[in-house]
Amino acid sequence: MKTIGILGGGQLGRMLALAGYPLGLRFIFLEREADCPAGQVAPVVVGDYADPAALARLAERCDLATFEFENVPVEAVQRLRERVPVHPSPFALLSAQDRLHEKTLFTDLGIPTPDFVAVASFIELQSACKRLGFPAVLKTRRLGYDGKGQVVIHSAAEMEPAWRAVNGVPSLVEQFVAFRRECAILGVRAADGREAFYPLTETHHTRGILSTALAPAPHASAALDTLARDYVKRILDRLSYVGVIALELFDCGDGRLIANEIAPRVHNSGHWTQDAGVCSQFENHLRAIAGLPLGDTTPHGYCGMVNLIGDAPALERLVSIPQARVHLYGKEPRPGRKLGHVNFCLPTAADREAAMRATLAILPPR
Ligand code: AMP
């Protein structure tokens, strides 16, 4: 029986473990806090990713490893790899951690992405804005997620406050895209090159945080879905990737998709897969890293997901929503914090919309 070591003990780790137990897999996590979402369902090595002794303790207790958090230090993955196989690779992690590497990867692979310029000083920011025009988006190269570490610049007067807002760290300026909607696609690749793709998913954000997802994305043509698959396939193949990856895209509404970013892990846009009658993104990630055949990715209905952010209604109310599948992460309420989500998989798009509306109606104001 294999034990999988996971760097990071948040809700993604918890859901990986919950998906792996029916397959007889075991789990051990490395996380700073023992009482983390994963710690409520599996043993935890309490320690820091940067601590070689903590990594060694994890390695002693697992057969292979992965990560559920994309900002784990690449060095930690490299060190762990000296003792046990780790997927995805440090190279894939590095490509996703630095927006300059990420955008360069898209460009090299012929995947459209907003025009961008790397900047390391205010003068470079000024010339980048001159080249790209307004509005432009300033994003820190590293440690940005859920809209953190980024500022939209509408005019020359906003350049200076924007530069101060990112603390003058190495950043990118990119063109602002007037997209019609945001989407994401999940792909999974096994070590022998077998691949599977979930359908294009429409995503909605509130203050930079994913709030709802619909899959398959409403009104997405087969051509749009194929285009998204083709883009994520290019990335999987270039990185010789093993595991689940998410590609976030802007849908321009005219047949074009523009890549925003990748996440080298299971992703919030794919939580609906848990209740769609398919092999979930969590199980497929585990299958890929454990060398098992990949599972079915075609949903059995119209799927939707509503995130519970900051504060959640009482469990009694949530489970009273007809057909709702409730997933809570065992976290204390805090503004902006993801506490859980509710999934639906229903026979018609209208049923899905009604169920999502009913769920949104009982959420506390965000
Ligand atoms: P990110 O941290 O790159 O995922 O960006 C967070 C959110 O900011 C995205 O989901 C978009 O809603 C918005 N955003 C990011 N980059 C751009 C862009 N170049 N143009 C327009 N909106 C953007």
Side-chain angles (χ1 to χ4, degrees):
M1 187 184 291
K2 278 188 178 151
T3 300
I4 299 186
I6 302 188
L7 297 175
Q11 64 265 18
L12 299 177
R14 174 186 176 109
M15 291 186 277
L16 282 166
L18 294 176
Y21 288 138
L23 304 183
L25 298 170
R26 291 174 181 229
F27 294 86
I28 173 104
F29 288 84
L30 175 60
E31 172 64 61
R32 269 184 231 113
E33 310 266 326
D35 185 31
C36 53
Q40 296 163 12
V41 303
V44 177
V45 171
V46 178
D48 199 283
Y49 308 131
D51 176 8
L55 289 167
R57 286 206 303 282
L58 181 77
E60 268 161 27
R61 295 174 63 184
C62 67
D63 303 298
L64 70 150
T66 187
F67 44 86
E68 59 99 72
F69 175 59
E70 74 213 50
N71 286 320
V72 292
V74 171
E75 302 71 43
V77 172
Q78 274 160 338
R79 201 178 282 272
L80 197 56
R81 254 188 149 200
E82 290 164 11
R83 293 167 172 261
V84 289
V86 186
H87 299 296
S89 70
F91 179 59
L93 182 60
L94 188 71
S95 307
Q97 279 184 350
D98 184 326
R99 290 190 194 270
L100 181 58
H101 293 185
E102 193 177 41
K103 300 264 157 173
T104 307
L105 175 71
F106 294 151
T107 309
D108 285 352
L109 293 172
I111 300 171
T113 193
D115 273 352
F116 63 94
V117 180
V119 295
S121 68
F122 183 60
I123 293 182
E124 286 179 4
L125 171 65
Q126 286 174 306
S127 64
C129 288
K130 199 165 171 195
R131 203 185 112 195
L132 298 172
F134 297 114
V137 191
L138 175 65
K139 298 181 176 182
T140 58
R141 278 178 56 176
R142 297 178 58 85
L143 302 176
Y145 65 97
D146 282 349
K148 293 193 176 79
Q150 68 166 273
V151 193
V152 179
I153 306 178
H154 300 93
S155 66
E158 290 181 11
M159 290 190 295
E160 224 257 291
W163 188 239
R164 259 189 282 121
V166 300
N167 294 317
V169 298
S171 297
L172 285 191
V173 184
E174 63 183 51
Q175 238 169 14
F176 186 88
V177 179
F179 52 79
R180 190 169 76 76
R181 63 174 171 179
E182 293 187 76
C183 290
I185 183 156
L186 294 170
V188 56
R189 184 175 179 279
D192 65 2
R194 283 167 301 152
E195 292 171 336
F197 304 90
Y198 293 94
L200 191 64
T201 298
E202 179 177 303
T203 54
H204 296 263
H205 298 79
T206 307
R207 282 184 283 283
I209 304 177
L210 187 82
S211 49
T212 56
L214 300 168
H219 316 298
S221 63
L224 201 71
D225 199 66
T226 304
L227 187 64
R229 282 176 193 226
D230 173 44
Y231 290 162
V232 75
K233 179 175 172 36
R234 289 185 209 178
I235 297 166
L236 288 171
D237 292 342
R238 170 64 65 91
L239 298 175
S240 298
Y241 195 87
V242 177
V244 165
I245 197 169
L247 170 63
E248 295 182 23
L249 297 156
F250 300 133
D251 176 0
C252 299
D254 55 4
R256 285 180 307 135
L257 291 172
I258 296 183
N260 178 32
E261 63 178 3
I262 49 175
R265 53 172 170 78
V266 286
H267 191 253
N268 199 169
S269 65
H271 288 1
W272 59 267
T273 61
Q274 291 170 309
D275 295 295
V278 296
C279 182
S280 75
Q281 62 162 345
F282 301 99
E283 183 176 330
N284 255 334
H285 183 73
L286 298 171
R287 288 185 183 214
I289 66 170
L292 297 166
L294 300 179
D296 178 33
T297 52
T298 307
H300 292 194
Y302 291 83
C303 303
M305 188 240 28
V306 177
N307 262 348
L308 305 172
I309 301 169
D311 202 1
L315 181 57
E316 220 169 30
R317 292 193 77 192
L318 286 171
V319 297
S320 302
I321 305 167
Q323 286 129 355
R325 308 299 309 163
V326 178
H327 300 259
L328 297 178
Y329 310 149
K331 287 158 100 175
E332 288 303 317
R334 192 195 292 164
R337 202 174 204 200
K338 289 176 182 168
L339 303 177
H341 64 272
V342 180
N343 284 338
F344 296 97
C345 180
L346 296 168
T348 69
D351 292 340
R352 169 176 69 185
E353 269 148 44
M356 303 240 334
R357 258 201 315 275
T359 308
L360 290 168
I362 66 161
L363 296 190
R366 300 186 182 194

